[in-house]
Amino acid sequence: MDGITIKQALRQAQHTLYGNAGAQIDSELLLASALGCTRTHLYTWPEQVLTTSQQSYFDSLLDRRVMGEPIAYVIGEREFWTLTLRVNRHVLIPRPETELLVEMALSILPAQGQRVADLGTGSGAIALALASERPGWEIYASDLSADALRVASDNALSNKLGNVFFAQGSWCEALPAGPLHMIISNPPYIDPHDSHLSQGDLRFEPRSALSAEESGIADIRTIITQAPTHLSPGGWLLLEHGYEQATAVRALLVSRGFQDVRTLQDLNDLDRVSLGQMPS
Ligand code: GLN
């Protein structure tokens, strides 16, 4: 029997994923990934016939998506800022709201000569977005997980970003000597008892990147405690946190001596990022 065409494969996949939000876009992403082509190609060449191996590879990707695996893991990539980042189950899937940290860092710091660290970098999203915008900065990216650091350094290579230096270790312990102008982190902050951890995409993401003790605040507390000894006078700390944690995070920042402490809202108008500055 002849193989099926691109058009037929898309129709079948949409039928299989029917009921999943985003069935059409997922079908396109999966087929483009299986064929190694762009989504535009699918609509330019709808009559192209899949080879047997393309079809069975496509079926295997579709099966994984049907089992609930996040689309980013199945196709192995996710867009963040202007970059395409490789992702796998060792790293959190970059979220759009995390771009708020990148925007703030770019707007606060001078364009030249800054030393900045991204703690718990995962796929490298924050560090690499900053590196792409500010080739003159020295950026340090740390993670406790060697598997995550492999993903992040692959992403630095594939995006041709040379000004990011990777180090393995826990929060500020991985940082080099010498003061930094800014420390940024999107640490784990979900309460371990939160039922969302057993739903949707979160089921497949590394638990250590999502959830922290003390109702989710433990790692944020550690970072706030450690950061001042690594920051220059006037240096900044920027943290992503849960939408109900802003008051607690601001209190921790103030009690550790940070000034100008404030919280910013994400695109959904939820408290998402808090920041503070060391006295100069
Ligand atoms: N923002 C993510 C979520 O709620 C969690 C990311 C994190 O813990 N840093 O899905």
Side-chain angles (χ1 to χ4, degrees):
M1 199 186 84
D2 283 345
I4 60 167
T5 64
I6 283 181
K7 192 173 166 183
Q8 289 166 329
L10 277 179
R11 199 176 302 136
Q12 284 178 14
Q14 279 179 43
H15 183 74
T16 308
L17 292 173
Y18 178 73
N20 288 39
Q24 181 179 343
I25 176 96
D26 282 6
S27 303
E28 294 170 5
L29 287 167
L30 293 170
L31 187 56
S33 174
L35 302 183
C37 68
T38 62
R39 277 163 62 210
T40 315
H41 178 107
L42 303 177
Y43 291 98
T44 316
W45 305 103
E47 304 305 330
Q48 181 186 322
V49 176
L50 274 62
T51 65
T52 318
S53 65
Q54 283 173 335
Q55 194 173 337
S56 61
Y57 184 44
F58 178 51
D59 287 343
S60 72
L61 298 184
L62 196 55
D63 283 347
R64 287 169 60 189
R65 184 68 191 120
V66 168
M67 296 303 288
E69 193 173 337
I71 188 78
Y73 288 161
V74 181
I75 66 171
E77 61 181 42
R78 170 57 45 102
E79 308 285 317
F80 181 81
W81 201 250
T82 59
L83 308 173
T84 300
L85 299 176
R86 194 190 135 211
V87 294
N88 62 27
R89 61 190 173 81
H90 298 299
V91 299
L92 193 80
I93 300 166
R95 312 284 204 266
E97 57 265 30
T98 301
E99 294 183 348
L100 184 55
L101 286 168
V102 177
E103 279 166 29
M104 280 312 290
L106 294 175
S107 72
I108 289 175
L109 294 179
Q112 293 303 324
Q114 301 294 291
R115 296 179 83 231
V116 173
D118 170 21
L119 307 181
T121 195
S123 64
I126 296 169
L128 297 174
L130 293 175
S132 72
E133 298 289 339
R134 297 286 187 261
W137 289 4
E138 229 170 81
I139 300 170
Y140 297 90
S142 74
D143 209 288
L144 192 56
S145 155
D147 290 321
L149 283 176
R150 258 190 292 278
V151 175
S153 46
D154 278 0
N155 282 326
L157 273 179
S158 62
N159 286 285
K160 301 187 175 60
L161 298 167
N163 53 328
V164 185
F165 307 94
F166 297 96
Q168 191 179 357
S170 172
W171 307 128
C172 290
E173 288 166 16
L175 293 177
L180 296 157
H181 298 99
M182 182 178 278
I183 294 175
I184 309 178
S185 185
N186 172 19
Y189 54 69
I190 300 178
D191 182 336
H193 304 294
D194 191 321
S195 59
H196 290 101
L197 290 170
S198 52
Q199 295 166 19
D201 284 8
L202 269 56
R203 290 170 297 166
F204 292 83
E205 294 183 287
R207 196 51 72 97
S208 62
L210 285 172
S211 110
E213 294 305 315
E214 296 175 48
S215 312
I217 209 84
D219 290 302
I220 288 177
R221 180 200 301 284
T222 302
I223 294 169
I224 292 174
T225 306
Q226 293 177 348
T229 54
H230 297 271
L231 286 171
S232 56
W236 295 85
L237 178 59
L238 252 71
L239 294 169
E240 183 173 319
H241 53 71
Y243 68 98
E244 294 171 323
Q245 292 169 332
T247 310
V249 175
R250 285 198 305 267
L252 288 169
L253 286 166
V254 168
S255 72
R256 193 68 178 96
F258 284 91
Q259 299 178 341
D260 284 332
V261 170
R262 62 206 148 99
T263 296
L264 307 164
Q265 285 73 39
D266 65 18
L267 293 170
N268 297 314
D269 220 19
L270 297 171
D271 287 344
R272 185 60 63 195
V273 168
S274 289
L275 64 158
Q277 186 176 22
M278 293 300 291
S280 36

